Amino acid sequence: MAWLALACCAAPSIASAAELLRGHLAVGYAKLLNRGAPGGSMMVGAGVDLPVRGTLRAGADVGFALLGSRIVERGSLAADLDYSLFEAVAFTHWKPPRGPLRVSLGPGLFHVRADLSSSGPAAFSDLAVEETAPGAALGVTLMTRRESLL
C-alpha cells in the first residue's frame, strides 16, 4: 500500500517532468587521434535532458562509434583490427540565450575495443583491446534556433 500511495503522489511530478524532457539524435564522424590509428568512420548517439535552471539542462547520452580498421603485417602474416567505442555520459548542457551553440560537459564511462581477425591470431594477440575506463566528455554543438520534431 505504501508503494501505491508513493506512486500516486509522484505521478503528477513525473508527468510534468516528462513534458520538460527533451531528446536528441546525433550522426557524425569520429576518429582516434593516436599514432597508427585508422582513418575514422561513423558515429551515432542519442540523449535526453531536463531543465535545471535558466539556460542549464542536465541529462544522459549514449553513443557508438565505428572508428575504422587497419591492417598490421608481421612477416608473412597479416591481421585486421576493427576499432569501436561505446560511451555513456552524464552531461550538463549550457545554451546561451542567443546564438546556435550548445556546450556540454560531463563525466562518462567509455568501452573501447580493437577486434582482431587474422591468419595467425597468436602472433597478434598483443594488439587486441577490450577495456572500459572512466573519463570526461566535452562537446560543442551547432543547433537550430527552434526545436523541431524531426
Short mmCIF file of all heavy atoms in Angstrom, two decimals, residues 5 8 26 29 39-41 51-52 60 71 77-78 84 87 98 104 110 112 114 116 122-124 140 148-150:
data_model
loop_
_atom_site.label_atom_id
_atom_site.label_comp_id
_atom_site.label_asym_id
_atom_site.label_seq_id
_atom_site.Cartn_x
_atom_site.Cartn_y
_atom_site.Cartn_z
N ALA A 5 0.67 4.40 -2.67
CA ALA A 5 0.48 5.79 -2.25
C ALA A 5 1.62 6.68 -2.76
O ALA A 5 1.40 7.79 -3.24
CB ALA A 5 0.39 5.88 -0.73
N CYS A 8 1.16 7.28 -6.50
CA CYS A 8 0.09 8.25 -6.77
C CYS A 8 0.57 9.68 -6.49
O CYS A 8 0.20 10.61 -7.21
CB CYS A 8 -1.14 7.93 -5.92
SG CYS A 8 -1.99 6.43 -6.47
N ALA A 26 22.11 12.08 -32.85
CA ALA A 26 23.31 12.62 -33.48
C ALA A 26 23.91 11.58 -34.43
O ALA A 26 23.92 10.39 -34.13
CB ALA A 26 24.35 12.99 -32.42
N TYR A 29 31.03 11.97 -37.44
CA TYR A 29 32.30 11.35 -37.80
C TYR A 29 33.15 11.30 -36.54
O TYR A 29 33.24 12.27 -35.79
CB TYR A 29 32.99 12.18 -38.88
CG TYR A 29 34.37 11.73 -39.23
CD1 TYR A 29 34.58 10.65 -40.08
CD2 TYR A 29 35.48 12.38 -38.71
CE1 TYR A 29 35.85 10.23 -40.40
CE2 TYR A 29 36.76 11.98 -39.03
CZ TYR A 29 36.94 10.90 -39.87
OH TYR A 29 38.20 10.49 -40.18
N GLY A 39 41.54 5.63 -40.18
CA GLY A 39 41.05 6.91 -40.68
C GLY A 39 39.80 7.44 -40.02
O GLY A 39 39.45 8.59 -40.20
N GLY A 40 39.09 6.65 -39.26
CA GLY A 40 37.85 7.10 -38.62
C GLY A 40 36.64 6.68 -39.43
O GLY A 40 36.76 6.23 -40.57
N SER A 41 35.48 6.81 -38.84
CA SER A 41 34.26 6.39 -39.52
C SER A 41 33.04 6.96 -38.81
O SER A 41 33.14 7.96 -38.11
CB SER A 41 34.20 4.86 -39.57
OG SER A 41 33.17 4.44 -40.44
N PRO A 51 15.45 20.48 -17.90
CA PRO A 51 15.95 21.80 -17.46
C PRO A 51 16.37 21.75 -16.00
O PRO A 51 15.76 21.06 -15.19
CB PRO A 51 14.76 22.72 -17.66
CG PRO A 51 13.57 21.85 -17.75
CD PRO A 51 14.03 20.50 -18.21
N VAL A 52 17.43 22.49 -15.69
CA VAL A 52 17.90 22.60 -14.30
C VAL A 52 17.62 23.99 -13.78
O VAL A 52 16.93 24.17 -12.78
CB VAL A 52 19.42 22.29 -14.21
CG1 VAL A 52 19.94 22.51 -12.80
CG2 VAL A 52 19.71 20.88 -14.67
N ALA A 60 21.55 12.56 -19.97
CA ALA A 60 22.46 11.45 -20.27
C ALA A 60 22.47 11.18 -21.77
O ALA A 60 21.45 11.32 -22.44
CB ALA A 60 22.01 10.21 -19.52
N ILE A 71 45.21 -2.67 -41.14
CA ILE A 71 45.87 -3.95 -41.37
C ILE A 71 47.29 -3.85 -40.83
O ILE A 71 48.01 -2.88 -41.11
CB ILE A 71 45.89 -4.30 -42.86
CG1 ILE A 71 44.45 -4.50 -43.34
CG2 ILE A 71 46.71 -5.56 -43.11
CD1 ILE A 71 44.31 -4.71 -44.83
N LEU A 77 52.53 -12.90 -42.12
CA LEU A 77 51.17 -12.91 -41.57
C LEU A 77 50.60 -11.49 -41.54
O LEU A 77 51.34 -10.51 -41.44
CB LEU A 77 51.17 -13.48 -40.15
CG LEU A 77 51.66 -14.92 -40.00
CD1 LEU A 77 51.71 -15.29 -38.52
CD2 LEU A 77 50.76 -15.88 -40.76
N ALA A 78 49.29 -11.40 -41.62
CA ALA A 78 48.60 -10.10 -41.55
C ALA A 78 47.39 -10.22 -40.65
O ALA A 78 46.75 -11.27 -40.57
CB ALA A 78 48.18 -9.65 -42.94
N SER A 84 36.27 0.14 -32.25
CA SER A 84 34.94 0.68 -31.95
C SER A 84 34.94 1.25 -30.52
O SER A 84 35.81 0.96 -29.72
CB SER A 84 33.86 -0.39 -32.09
OG SER A 84 34.08 -1.44 -31.18
N GLU A 87 30.00 4.71 -25.51
CA GLU A 87 30.12 5.69 -24.45
C GLU A 87 28.77 5.97 -23.80
O GLU A 87 27.73 5.96 -24.46
CB GLU A 87 30.72 6.99 -24.97
CG GLU A 87 29.89 7.65 -26.04
CD GLU A 87 30.56 8.89 -26.62
OE1 GLU A 87 31.76 9.08 -26.42
OE2 GLU A 87 29.84 9.67 -27.27
N ARG A 98 21.24 33.59 -26.90
CA ARG A 98 21.31 33.93 -28.34
C ARG A 98 22.42 33.10 -28.98
O ARG A 98 23.43 32.83 -28.37
CB ARG A 98 21.60 35.41 -28.52
CG ARG A 98 20.51 36.28 -28.01
CD ARG A 98 20.92 37.74 -28.14
NE ARG A 98 19.96 38.56 -27.43
CZ ARG A 98 19.18 39.42 -28.02
NH1 ARG A 98 19.22 39.56 -29.32
NH2 ARG A 98 18.33 40.13 -27.33
N SER A 104 28.47 21.26 -23.88
CA SER A 104 28.14 20.15 -22.99
C SER A 104 29.40 19.63 -22.33
O SER A 104 30.45 19.51 -22.97
CB SER A 104 27.48 19.02 -23.78
OG SER A 104 26.38 19.48 -24.50
N PHE A 110 33.53 4.80 -20.80
CA PHE A 110 33.88 4.54 -22.19
C PHE A 110 34.40 3.11 -22.33
O PHE A 110 35.28 2.70 -21.58
CB PHE A 110 34.94 5.54 -22.66
CG PHE A 110 34.50 6.96 -22.51
CD1 PHE A 110 34.71 7.65 -21.33
CD2 PHE A 110 33.84 7.59 -23.54
CE1 PHE A 110 34.28 8.95 -21.18
CE2 PHE A 110 33.40 8.90 -23.41
CZ PHE A 110 33.62 9.58 -22.22
N VAL A 112 36.18 0.68 -25.04
CA VAL A 112 36.88 0.63 -26.32
C VAL A 112 37.20 -0.81 -26.67
O VAL A 112 37.39 -1.65 -25.80
CB VAL A 112 38.17 1.48 -26.30
CG1 VAL A 112 37.85 2.94 -26.14
CG2 VAL A 112 39.11 1.01 -25.22
N ALA A 114 39.32 -3.18 -29.84
CA ALA A 114 40.04 -3.42 -31.09
C ALA A 114 39.92 -4.91 -31.33
O ALA A 114 40.59 -5.72 -30.70
CB ALA A 114 41.50 -3.00 -30.98
N LEU A 116 40.23 -8.37 -33.29
CA LEU A 116 41.30 -8.92 -34.10
C LEU A 116 40.79 -10.06 -34.97
O LEU A 116 40.11 -10.97 -34.50
CB LEU A 116 42.41 -9.43 -33.17
CG LEU A 116 43.59 -10.15 -33.76
CD1 LEU A 116 44.42 -9.19 -34.58
CD2 LEU A 116 44.43 -10.76 -32.65
N ALA A 122 47.71 -15.87 -32.77
CA ALA A 122 48.66 -15.86 -31.66
C ALA A 122 49.75 -14.81 -31.88
O ALA A 122 50.24 -14.20 -30.93
CB ALA A 122 49.28 -17.23 -31.48
N ALA A 123 50.10 -14.57 -33.12
CA ALA A 123 51.16 -13.61 -33.43
C ALA A 123 50.72 -12.16 -33.22
O ALA A 123 51.54 -11.26 -33.17
CB ALA A 123 51.63 -13.81 -34.87
N PHE A 124 49.39 -11.94 -33.10
CA PHE A 124 48.87 -10.57 -32.99
C PHE A 124 48.05 -10.34 -31.72
O PHE A 124 47.40 -9.32 -31.59
CB PHE A 124 48.00 -10.25 -34.21
CG PHE A 124 48.74 -10.31 -35.51
CD1 PHE A 124 48.69 -11.44 -36.31
CD2 PHE A 124 49.51 -9.24 -35.93
CE1 PHE A 124 49.37 -11.51 -37.50
CE2 PHE A 124 50.20 -9.29 -37.13
CZ PHE A 124 50.14 -10.43 -37.91
N VAL A 140 30.70 20.59 -28.26
CA VAL A 140 30.17 21.86 -28.74
C VAL A 140 29.29 21.53 -29.92
O VAL A 140 29.73 20.90 -30.88
CB VAL A 140 31.30 22.84 -29.15
CG1 VAL A 140 30.71 24.12 -29.69
CG2 VAL A 140 32.21 23.12 -27.97
N SER A 148 12.38 21.16 -33.19
CA SER A 148 11.56 20.51 -34.21
C SER A 148 11.32 19.06 -33.84
O SER A 148 12.04 18.51 -33.01
CB SER A 148 12.21 20.61 -35.59
OG SER A 148 13.36 19.82 -35.61
N LEU A 149 10.34 18.47 -34.46
CA LEU A 149 10.05 17.07 -34.20
C LEU A 149 10.93 16.14 -35.00
O LEU A 149 11.01 14.98 -34.73
CB LEU A 149 8.57 16.78 -34.50
CG LEU A 149 7.58 17.52 -33.60
CD1 LEU A 149 6.17 17.25 -34.06
CD2 LEU A 149 7.76 17.11 -32.14
N LEU A 150 11.59 16.65 -36.02
CA LEU A 150 12.46 15.81 -36.85
C LEU A 150 13.89 16.22 -36.74
O LEU A 150 14.30 17.27 -36.59
CB LEU A 150 12.02 15.87 -38.31
CG LEU A 150 10.61 15.36 -38.56
CD1 LEU A 150 10.24 15.57 -40.02
CD2 LEU A 150 10.49 13.89 -38.21
#
